[in-house]
Amino acid sequence: GENVEQHPSTLSVQEGDSAVIKCTYSDSASNYFPWYKQELGKGPQLIIDIRSNVGEKKDQRIAVTLNKTAKHFSLHITETQPEDSAVYFCAATFGNQFYFGTGTSLTVIP
Amino acid sequence: EAGVVQSPRYKIIEKKQPVAFWCNPISGHNTLYWYLQNLGQGPELLIRYENEEAVDDSQLPKDRFSAERLKGVDSTLKIQPAELGDSAVYLCASSLGVGDTDTQYFGPGTRLTVL
């Protein structure tokens, strides 16, 4: 199966700064890479995703980059706000199964 | 559009008792997933349904866990008997079921505490 590693496990940034979370995966056949945000007491919520035929995707302050050769992808959040504080999970798909990273707890300090 | 609905949101039981969780997926979503999420970890798949058929239950501890998805819509996950180590959040997710780049949408989860 797939193995997804996520770094860092915790991240603190000042409001307005950028945050970057990185994930690596093991199976070169993986072709879909979603990112989820999970707030306390809630289920994971999809915030952005990227498919293997695209190298970068942006949605307002959030962007994801994918390097298929190196088998890693990253989440970039610019102009961070306190409401961005949450746990972020990356995932990679192999077949119909999602394999999740271990999560990054992001704290945005006002 | 309503999201994935789960109930109950919280459940506290004593060990060796049975417990059941219910999930109603997004309307029109053929694929339904049950995940286990331990504290500080990402979700781990327990079982995946395509309509009413369980197509991947390799990670489901079948000695005490069971699941069903009658009529291919709602689903129930049961634990009998519960053990202390079963304390976790149980997440349900659904997707359209159109392929291996299918987006999954999660419910709020059921937090189970076994005493």
Side-chain angles (χ1 to χ4, degrees):
Chain A
E2 177 66 278
N3 181 40
V4 179
E5 294 189 0
Q6 183 172 347
H7 300 281
S9 57
T10 60
L11 179 61
S12 292
V13 299
Q14 290 291 137
E15 182 177 358
D17 287 350
S18 295
V20 180
I21 303 170
K22 299 180 179 181
C23 287
T24 61
Y25 60 99
S26 60
D27 195 317
S28 57
S30 292
N31 58 358
Y32 176 58
F33 307 91
W35 284 90
Y36 288 85
K37 174 184 180 182
Q38 187 171 27
E39 297 175 312
L40 195 63
K42 298 183 179 180
Q45 180 183 17
L46 179 72
I47 56 172
I48 197 168
D49 56 11
I50 191 167
R51 287 169 170 77
S52 59
N53 58 346
V54 176
E56 183 174 358
K57 182 177 179 181
K58 188 173 182 180
D59 182 4
Q60 299 182 11
R61 298 186 295 109
I62 296 173
V64 57
T65 59
L66 172 65
N67 184 325
K68 286 217 71 178
T69 302
K71 292 189 282 188
H72 66 71
F73 55 114
S74 300
L75 177 71
H76 304 253
I77 306 174
T78 59
E79 301 173 21
T80 54
Q81 301 168 2
E83 51 265 39
D84 295 330
S85 296
V87 178
Y88 292 80
F89 291 98
C90 63
T93 61
F94 177 70
N96 292 93
Q97 189 161 342
F98 278 30
Y99 293 87
F100 286 86
T102 50
T104 296
S105 179
L106 173 65
T107 301
V108 179
I109 304 167
Chain B
E1 178 181 306
V4 176
V5 179
Q6 289 188 248
S7 69
R9 292 295 315 278
Y10 305 91
K11 189 73 176 179
I12 300 174
I13 61 172
E14 293 187 347
K15 63 181 181 182
K16 301 185 181 180
Q17 294 300 306
V19 65
F21 315 124
W22 175 80
C23 173
N24 179 242
I26 293 173
S27 178
H29 281 197
N30 296 322
T31 306
L32 184 145
Y33 313 76
W34 282 103
Y35 286 90
L36 167 72
Q37 186 176 28
N38 287 306
L39 189 64
Q41 298 294 318
E44 298 174 19
L45 183 70
L46 289 172
I47 188 168
R48 174 170 63 93
Y49 281 93
E50 297 286 348
N51 297 303
E52 65 274 11
E53 181 182 0
V55 296
D56 184 355
D57 62 356
S58 56
Q59 302 303 311
L60 190 72
K62 298 180 184 62
D63 57 335
R64 297 183 300 108
F65 287 65
S66 64
E68 61 182 10
R69 192 185 184 197
L70 300 177
K71 301 181 181 179
V73 182
D74 295 0
S75 178
T76 303
L77 178 68
K78 298 178 181 178
I79 309 175
Q80 183 172 12
E83 298 179 351
L84 294 175
D86 296 332
S87 295
V89 175
Y90 291 83
L91 293 165
C92 179
S94 70
S95 66
L96 282 171
V98 295
D100 58 3
T101 61
D102 215 9
T103 299
Q104 294 186 22
Y105 298 89
F106 284 83
T110 296
R111 180 175 295 279
L112 173 67
T113 301
V114 182
L115 302 176

